[in-house]
Amino acid sequence: MPATKDRANRPSRNRAPSPPPRPTRPFTLWREVLTAYAAPALMAGTAGILTGQRDLAVAACTSIAATSAVVAFLVGTWLRNGGRPRRWTTTTPRVILTAALLVITVGAAALLGWFTAQWLPAHTPLPAAPWLLRLRIDLPVSATLATTIVTLRWRSSSTATTTTTTTTTTGTSTR
């Protein structure tokens, strides 16, 4: 037996076998919506309080968090499609699916923010206010974060449940 024999393929006697990977939590829409509301509200609210921007602290719990929650609900509902995801959403690469949904949701949020900031003061007795101008920024940014997070979390939970197989011979999970 030569001294330079490759031992990389042999199992080590001193190491314990690695534990099987943790199963991912299933995609639960109400949890995603709650997280989509709470996370930006806490982060933007804290930033508003620490920097002394009262309007940011108020917007954190209203336009920023509410937009995130609504977008998370709409995107999550569409992705789930009644518990049966569309085939192309599970086979399309994660980055492409996220980018496609981002273009749609951010575009819609930007149009809504622009329309609200321009149309409301011109056609209603509501005067032009700084918070209306904030909607042009708040809505697309909130839609971006919510869409990205919900899509990636949905995709990781849906691909983990469909691609994880258990082998009966070794008792370990493979992906």
Side-chain angles (χ1 to χ4, degrees):
M1 179 147 74
T4 60
K5 185 173 183 181
D6 184 20
R7 295 182 182 206
N9 293 332
R10 292 190 340 180
S12 173
R13 291 181 231 169
N14 297 334
R15 277 190 270 159
S18 61
R22 284 187 351 191
T24 59
R25 286 188 353 200
F27 183 82
T28 308
L29 187 59
W30 68 266
R31 261 192 237 141
E32 301 301 326
V33 172
L34 184 64
T35 303
Y37 183 87
L42 289 172
M43 295 304 295
T46 302
I49 290 170
L50 292 177
T51 60
Q53 298 177 28
R54 186 175 182 272
D55 60 331
L56 178 58
V58 171
C61 296
T62 55
S63 64
I64 295 172
T67 301
S68 293
V70 168
V71 169
F73 176 76
L74 293 174
V75 169
T77 302
W78 185 81
L79 285 170
R80 281 186 29 197
N81 191 27
R84 295 178 312 272
R86 295 164 183 85
R87 185 167 193 263
W88 71 270
T89 59
T90 57
T91 58
T92 303
R94 186 181 301 190
V95 174
I96 294 172
L97 176 65
T98 305
L101 290 176
L102 275 174
V103 168
I104 294 166
T105 58
V106 172
L111 285 173
L112 181 64
W114 175 81
F115 179 75
T116 304
Q118 297 297 321
W119 189 84
L120 277 179
H123 294 84
T124 64
L126 187 67
W131 68 269
L132 280 174
L133 297 177
R134 284 190 62 89
L135 292 179
R136 292 180 182 174
I137 297 170
D138 291 349
L139 299 185
V141 169
S142 298
T144 300
L145 294 172
T147 301
T148 303
I149 292 169
V150 167
T151 304
L152 294 176
R153 288 175 59 116
W154 173 81
R155 184 63 185 269
S156 67
S157 70
S158 69
T159 57
T161 57
T162 59
T163 61
T164 302
T165 59
T166 305
T167 59
T168 56
T169 58
T170 60
T172 60
S173 294
T174 60
R175 287 182 189 229

